[in-house]
Amino acid sequence: MPALRAAGCVFAEDEAAILIEAAAGPDDDDSEPNLDELVARRVSGEPLEQIVGWVDFSGMRLSVQPGVFVPRQRTALLAAHAVSAAQRMTDSRGNRAGTDADVDAVRPVVLEAFCGVGPVGSAVAGKVPGVDLHLGDAQVEALRCAVENVERHIQTIQPGDSAQVGEPDTIVTGHVLDCLHGLSDTLRQSVSVIAAVPPYVPETAADFLPHEALDFEPSTALFGGRDGLDLVRRLIAESLDWLAPDGVLLIELGQGQVASATGFATERGLEARSHLGEDEQTVVLELRRRN
């Protein structure tokens, strides 16, 4: 589509196909926007995902509203580690459970903090049944999207499925949070997995961000202070009140920030491992209490 190419859209043909699909809509829906209007919004710089109302993340179609942070594809690395950690917790606790009375005891508690529209929570819900899943964000609109997305992707447990017999259903709870402030006291020292993409762009790097992020996404979901680590440090410190003794904290951040974040964590008694993404820029920092 010439207008998209002229506007500098790298994947103009792919975006055009998505916009055409959005304009067509269901056959019985007369309220769909005009294609020219959608193209004009994209040409003005509005993120494609906010225009069409969804993003494809790890094979899931997640709802996205205007004005909320759009999950990046690099966060698939964090989602994969959260799924693995939740599955390990489920398996290890299940091996220790022997009766129906133990159901709540073996249910892993997973929190996606700074959840945005819930990409990590949706991945966990779709692949690990029987999770007590919590979502937290400061933006109410994003949190509403997250809860809807996660509920839509919960793995259905069918009676007679021998691999999942006796598994409890997944429970989803949303929290309006300031970092981790606002969580229920009942979760203290009991969260199995905390996964988060806190804002980690340094304020000094604002000029390097695309205009569609600066103009259409909340700055509070992008910037993490002068070095980008203000919210990362808060998350690490506050997590100590919420993590179970065998719990794990997973944080997405930039490769150049790993050393500082690791030093801060080890000073607080946490052991650190880092997992480098395929882009060689994104890292998932894995933190656990020292034995």
Side-chain angles (χ1 to χ4, degrees):
M1 186 172 288
L4 296 178
R5 285 195 293 270
C9 297
V10 178
F11 304 104
E13 288 75 14
D14 294 336
E15 293 195 10
I18 293 172
L19 290 173
I20 291 170
E21 175 192 340
D27 294 337
D28 58 351
D29 190 346
D30 296 328
S31 65
E32 294 301 322
N34 180 277
L35 177 59
D36 291 339
E37 295 175 359
L38 298 182
V39 172
R41 290 171 62 186
R42 183 65 186 118
V43 168
S44 73
E46 188 172 350
L48 177 68
E49 297 84 359
Q50 293 182 2
I51 295 171
V52 300
W54 60 270
V55 61
D56 186 326
F57 180 84
S58 294
M60 300 178 293
R61 182 172 286 201
L62 303 181
S63 296
V64 176
Q65 290 185 358
V68 304
F69 181 79
V70 178
R72 294 355 184 208
Q73 296 305 315
R74 59 178 174 265
T75 299
L77 177 66
L78 176 68
H81 281 282
V83 167
S84 296
Q87 188 62 66
R88 286 196 301 271
M89 293 290 184
T90 300
D91 294 343
S92 64
R93 296 183 183 194
N95 290 337
R96 298 198 298 267
T99 69
D100 291 341
D102 295 318
V103 164
D104 289 336
V106 303
R107 186 193 298 272
V109 179
V110 177
L111 166 66
E112 182 181 5
F114 301 95
C115 67
V117 302
V120 175
S122 295
V124 171
K127 296 184 178 179
V128 187
V131 173
D132 185 2
L133 187 53
H134 295 260
L135 305 163
D137 200 276
Q139 188 183 25
V140 174
E141 295 83 0
L143 183 59
R144 188 178 298 115
C145 277
V147 172
E148 292 175 356
N149 284 328
V150 170
E151 289 179 340
R152 190 182 308 119
H153 290 92
I154 288 175
Q155 180 174 329
T156 302
I157 304 171
Q158 301 293 339
D161 186 342
S162 60
Q164 298 172 2
V165 168
E167 289 283 2
D169 293 336
T170 295
I171 299 172
V172 183
T173 308
H175 309 265
V176 178
L177 299 182
D178 174 11
C179 196
L180 299 185
H181 289 175
L183 287 172
S184 168
D185 282 343
T186 59
L187 294 176
R188 288 186 182 275
Q189 304 294 313
S190 65
V191 182
S192 311
V193 181
I194 300 175
V197 185
Y200 63 87
V201 177
E203 292 174 350
T204 54
D207 291 342
F208 299 99
L209 288 184
H211 284 293
E212 64 182 56
L214 292 171
D215 295 341
F216 294 96
E217 294 180 311
S219 61
T220 53
L222 298 171
F223 298 107
R226 184 171 181 80
D227 64 354
L229 292 174
D230 285 0
L231 274 300
V232 172
R233 284 187 284 264
R234 273 194 64 188
L235 177 62
I236 292 171
E238 293 178 17
S239 71
L240 297 174
D241 290 332
W242 305 99
L243 281 175
D246 59 347
V248 58
L249 171 61
L250 302 168
I251 307 174
E252 177 187 301
L253 70 172
Q255 184 183 20
Q257 299 169 314
V258 172
S260 294
T262 298
F264 184 85
T266 54
E267 289 173 358
R268 283 150 185 79
L270 297 171
E271 294 181 343
R273 293 179 59 194
S274 60
H275 308 276
L276 184 63
E278 292 182 359
D279 61 1
E280 298 187 350
Q281 298 296 323
T282 307
V283 172
V284 169
L285 186 62
E286 178 181 337
L287 301 172
R288 299 176 184 273
R289 300 181 193 273
R290 291 198 194 102
N291 294 327

